Amino acid sequence: MAKSKRNKIVTLTQTDKKGRAGKDALYEQIRESADIYKYIWIFSVENMRNTYLKTVRAEMKSSRFFFGRTKVMAKALGTSPEDEHKDNLHKLAEQLVGHVGLLFTNTEPEEVKEFFANYTESDFARSGVRATSTYVVPAGPVYRGEEVFPHNMEPQLRSLGMPTVLNNGIVTLTNEYRVCKEGQTLTPEQAQLLKLFHVQMAEFHVTLKSYYNDGQIYRV
């Protein structure tokens, strides 16, 4: 008789311990980095994509990036003059609000600014992002680039709100269809349509906010 498989039970205490261990490790890494590196930057990311952030890390492999868990990062830096890790670091910790991260580096500030000023990546917009332009699909056969949409994709286009029909096996619009308007907040359906049409309206880029060096905070 075959043995029955048992479901592995993970208790809340176990998950709490793992979460706590991760926070403790991050806390120590932040403090160690503050001792090793000359500059500590706070940055924010527009249209966050892990792939592009990995690329940035690879380009600046002598530096260290931390993103997420801002409360733990702030605690590691110190949130008051009494518990700050270095002089005035609590003033930098005050800025760890929202979708921001920390960059520890020995690269001089002007070089860091130049790198991020020139680093952007285009990508497909997700729902909730504002359209950067108006996109209209003209009446007639529906093209994606130079090719007509495959006929088997017609139901998907229709399910996303486009009033398409099959005309002799060709995906067709009887009237032009506006997918989105510039400045409009994209719905999930609009974002998916733009992706199907290979239209990119998002741009990944890092915005530098301020940096710490030798007890002083410098705004960018």
Side-chain angles (χ1 to χ4, degrees):
M1 186 173 69
K3 293 181 180 179
S4 61
K5 293 182 179 179
R6 292 185 179 180
N7 292 325
K8 185 178 180 181
I9 299 174
V10 180
T11 65
L12 183 60
T13 304
Q14 286 176 309
T15 57
D16 285 348
K17 284 181 180 178
K18 287 182 180 179
R20 182 64 187 175
K23 290 178 181 178
D24 289 344
L26 176 60
Y27 181 94
E28 292 302 324
Q29 289 169 12
I30 296 290
R31 292 218 156 188
E32 288 173 7
S33 298
D35 291 332
I36 295 171
Y37 293 95
K38 187 176 179 181
Y39 301 102
I40 309 173
W41 289 83
I42 287 190
F43 65 90
S44 64
V45 178
E46 190 74 20
N47 296 302
M48 174 64 181
R49 302 290 190 275
N50 286 328
T51 302
Y52 298 142
L53 193 57
K54 286 180 181 178
T55 302
V56 171
R57 282 190 168 109
E59 291 284 338
M60 299 185 67
K61 56 187 176 183
S62 63
S63 306
R64 292 205 69 177
F65 288 82
F66 297 90
F67 194 80
R69 289 191 169 181
T70 52
K71 289 184 179 180
V72 178
M73 293 194 291
K75 187 176 180 182
L77 295 179
T79 55
S80 69
E82 291 73 32
D83 66 7
E84 61 188 12
H85 187 58
K86 287 186 172 182
D87 288 344
N88 283 330
L89 261 185
H90 76 279
K91 294 180 179 178
L92 193 71
E94 290 172 356
Q95 300 175 44
L96 285 168
V97 180
H99 298 291
V100 297
L102 289 175
L103 162 61
F104 293 85
T105 186
N106 288 325
T107 304
E108 292 301 312
E110 290 308 313
E111 190 176 339
V112 173
K113 291 177 188 177
E114 183 180 0
F115 173 80
F116 285 112
N118 295 318
Y119 186 87
T120 60
E121 293 284 355
S122 296
D123 207 334
F124 298 108
R126 295 171 177 171
S127 62
V129 172
R130 290 190 181 277
T132 56
S133 61
T134 299
Y135 187 72
V136 176
V137 181
V142 179
Y143 282 84
R144 177 167 59 183
E146 296 182 355
E147 298 182 355
V148 177
F149 260 92
H151 67 87
N152 60 356
M153 291 188 68
E154 191 276 331
Q156 183 180 6
L157 293 174
R158 192 158 18 92
S159 71
L160 293 170
M162 286 189 72
T164 53
V165 295
L166 278 177
N167 188 358
N168 295 323
I170 298 175
V171 182
T172 306
L173 279 171
T174 54
N175 296 296
E176 70 173 27
Y177 179 77
R178 188 177 69 190
V179 176
C180 63
K181 184 179 180 181
E182 182 178 356
Q184 178 185 16
T185 301
L186 296 175
T187 65
E189 292 78 16
Q190 289 170 318
Q192 184 61 28
L193 280 172
L194 290 172
K195 187 172 184 179
L196 290 176
F197 280 92
H198 297 166
V199 176
Q200 296 181 323
M201 288 195 180
E203 188 177 78
F204 170 93
H205 68 269
V206 172
T207 300
L208 299 169
K209 293 184 170 293
S210 60
Y211 69 93
Y212 172 92
N213 172 239
D214 197 22
Q216 298 295 318
I217 308 290
Y218 300 90
R219 298 275 183 174
V220 177

